[in-house]
Amino acid sequence: MILTVCLSPCIDIDIELESLGVGRSQNIISKRTFYTGKAINVAIGGARLGGDMFATGFMYEENGNQFEIQLHRENVKYRFVWNKGRVRVNYKIVDHHSMLTEINDISPSVEPGNEEALLDTVARFAPTCEAVIICGGLASGMSPDYYAKLLNVIPGNVIRIVDSEGDRLLESLKCGVDFIKPNISEMERTLKRRFETRAEQIEGCRELIRMGAKKVLLSLGKEGAILCNGEKSWFCKSINVAMNSTVGAGDAMVAAAAIAICKGKSDPDILKCGVAAGTAAVTEPDTISFTREKYEEILSTLYVEEL
């Protein structure tokens, strides 16, 4: 079983308008609602690849039941730590000029005692898991070292995977992490410098490894990705596909890579699986994840080269 830990769920509403004008009434052309959060997306992606997935984390009483409905539909087990209030709702508005306007909600807080309750939940289920994946932002008012607290309740024989950035990632690396997946922008923000050439990108991965990661999967967006284990590095170029959505692409990479790691696949194969899932996810306009059929179609076309 693979456990995913969602610390800041959200509802994303994508709206298409003819034009966006301040101070006037407008009609919606289309609207899509996604019940999301990085660890939620990872759990769904893993389940679509046949993984035994379990989602936990913080959830909110007023509108959180929709997440349970979605996870049940996707064959993902779940147990949340519940709080009063509402899951935050973010709006992405696109007009006929393809201009994107984003309105991001305020992250809610968790009730007193629930940080400890989630630590207890993870400590209870982690020993029965092959891997635990901790992703994304934090609820309002939480300290970045909560990532470290979570990692410290996971037994040493369980694979520990983190997908985050900045202080949350740095706190995680202090504990030692088996696998991380920053994208290039996240790595630049975390290490506070640019990585433009391939050699610089590999050196950035190695720096994260020296800080406490065993393996780094560095997403380069539509270019593909690099996987580095400190001794060797590989590159997998993505294929050109029609990009219908970027929602959940990085989470799809984490899901597929985690499944591959738990199956004992080689580092080049882990990289290839991650790129295939991330690429498949951007082809899907109406879901936060990907279809297994599209994933396998793309996987068969990819090539990995050692750098």
Side-chain angles (χ1 to χ4, degrees), residues 58-62 81-85 109-111 114:
F58 299 123
M59 195 52 67
Y60 297 85
E61 293 175 355
E62 292 183 35
V81 174
W82 288 86
N83 298 272
K84 294 179 181 178
S109 59
V110 298
E111 294 180 49
N114 275 356

Side-chain angles (χ1 to χ4, degrees), residues 94-273:
V94 178
D95 66 16
H96 73 289
H97 295 298
S98 296
M99 293 291 292
L100 173 65
T101 301
E102 296 190 57
I103 304 171
N104 294 322
D105 202 353
I106 300 169
S107 178
S109 59
V110 298
E111 294 180 49
N114 275 356
E115 289 187 24
E116 286 298 323
L118 182 56
L119 292 174
D120 291 343
T121 299
V122 173
R124 175 183 175 188
F125 289 105
T128 67
C129 297
E130 294 177 89
V132 177
I133 305 171
I134 309 171
C135 311
L138 293 165
S140 179
M142 293 183 67
S143 170
D145 68 359
Y146 191 72
Y147 261 69
K149 293 178 181 179
L150 284 166
L151 290 166
N152 284 332
V153 302
I154 301 169
N157 63 331
V158 176
I159 298 164
R160 302 192 291 181
I161 299 173
V162 168
D163 184 14
S164 195
E165 64 169 301
D167 289 342
R168 299 187 303 273
L169 178 55
L170 295 175
E171 290 291 337
S172 301
L173 294 175
K174 294 176 184 178
C175 303
V177 181
D178 294 289
F179 188 87
I180 63 174
K181 189 222 65 68
N183 61 38
I184 187 67
S185 297
E186 291 167 342
M187 188 167 78
E188 289 177 342
R189 288 193 292 269
T190 299
L191 298 179
K192 302 187 186 314
R193 65 180 188 276
R194 299 291 299 278
F195 299 94
E196 296 181 345
T197 68
R198 196 70 79 225
E200 290 171 345
Q201 292 161 0
I202 293 171
E203 178 52 34
C205 292
R206 288 176 174 162
E207 182 171 344
L208 292 171
I209 288 169
R210 289 192 293 270
M211 295 171 75
K214 291 183 180 178
K215 297 178 184 180
V216 179
L217 175 60
L218 176 64
S219 171
L220 303 174
K222 63 182 180 181
E223 288 184 41
I226 293 169
L227 191 145
C228 180
N229 63 16
E231 297 179 359
K232 294 183 178 181
S233 299
W234 297 267
F235 172 71
C236 182
K237 179 177 172 56
S238 184
I239 62 170
N240 291 325
V241 295
M243 187 175 292
N244 291 308
S245 172
T246 59
V247 175
D251 308 326
M253 294 184 76
V254 174
I259 295 289
I261 291 169
C262 290
K263 289 182 176 179
K265 290 186 178 291
S266 67
D267 287 346
D269 281 343
I270 292 168
L271 171 60
K272 188 160 68 170
C273 290

Side-chain angles (χ1 to χ4, degrees), residues 17-30:
L17 302 174
E18 178 60 30
S19 63
L20 178 61
V22 177
R24 62 186 180 84
S25 177
Q26 294 144 100
N27 293 323
I28 292 175
I29 296 172
S30 67

